[in-house]
Amino acid sequence: MSTSAKVKTGQLWGKNKDELKTQLDELKTELGQLRVQKISGGGQSKLTRIHDLRKSIARILTVINANQRAQLRIFYKNKKYIPLDLRPKQTRAIRRRLNKHEVSLKTEKQKKKLTHFPQRKYAVKTSA
């Protein structure tokens, strides 16, 4: 690659995993070379280039990880168990709360009580 332009994230989304890996390797080797040049006495431009390279590497890794997570979400879509990092975070209280099915369940005692003592209905006369 060896260009002074930053990597644009919009261009990365269209690339496949192999292209991203090769671009990542190129950037890492270039970063290593720049670090050696910095030690041997480099100017300010090398420092800004090192900064840009580090950020570009981070962008590529972000795209790779996002694609990987999207593939895992597709894989686990209709499975019974989903890995913890793919589950919705929410709050601890919400995660421990009863689900809709568990809330709707009634005990035998509650069922008998409801059948033998149903809710009374009252007819209220309105004054017109």
Side-chain angles (χ1 to χ4, degrees):
M1 189 172 165
S2 278
T3 59
S4 60
K6 294 180 194 173
V7 174
K8 298 278 193 292
T9 315
Q11 298 167 347
L12 296 176
W13 290 110
K15 295 185 176 183
N16 63 18
K17 191 176 179 182
D18 296 329
E19 292 172 344
L20 289 171
K21 287 279 187 190
T22 55
Q23 191 173 1
L24 183 66
D25 292 337
E26 289 172 6
L27 289 175
K28 282 185 175 181
T29 54
E30 189 178 347
L31 180 63
Q33 292 166 356
L34 279 174
R35 283 188 171 147
V36 169
Q37 290 173 5
K38 185 182 99 172
I39 292 169
S40 62
Q44 183 65 28
S45 62
K46 284 192 178 41
L47 290 175
T48 55
R49 181 68 186 132
I50 287 173
H51 176 268
D52 292 344
L53 275 173
R54 287 178 60 235
K55 299 304 171 185
S56 297
I57 289 170
R59 284 187 190 100
I60 292 172
L61 287 173
T62 301
V63 170
I64 289 171
N65 288 332
N67 288 339
Q68 191 174 12
R69 286 176 67 84
Q71 291 298 318
L72 284 171
R73 282 187 197 284
I74 292 167
F75 178 74
Y76 285 106
K77 181 118 180 154
N78 295 319
K79 301 276 194 290
K80 185 175 181 183
Y81 297 111
I82 299 172
L84 293 176
D85 60 334
L86 295 180
R87 294 180 194 172
K89 175 80 169 132
Q90 300 171 330
T91 63
R92 191 167 187 265
I94 291 173
R95 289 195 306 267
R96 282 165 181 56
R97 189 168 63 187
L98 296 177
N99 63 30
K100 289 177 186 174
H101 174 69
E102 291 167 341
V103 169
S104 68
L105 293 177
K106 300 234 183 289
T107 62
E108 284 297 316
K109 190 172 183 179
Q110 284 175 314
K111 288 176 190 172
K112 286 178 185 173
K113 191 174 178 183
L114 284 170
T115 54
H116 296 301
F117 305 100
Q119 181 74 45
R120 291 186 175 174
K121 298 182 181 89
Y122 295 99
V124 180
K125 183 178 179 186
T126 58
S127 58

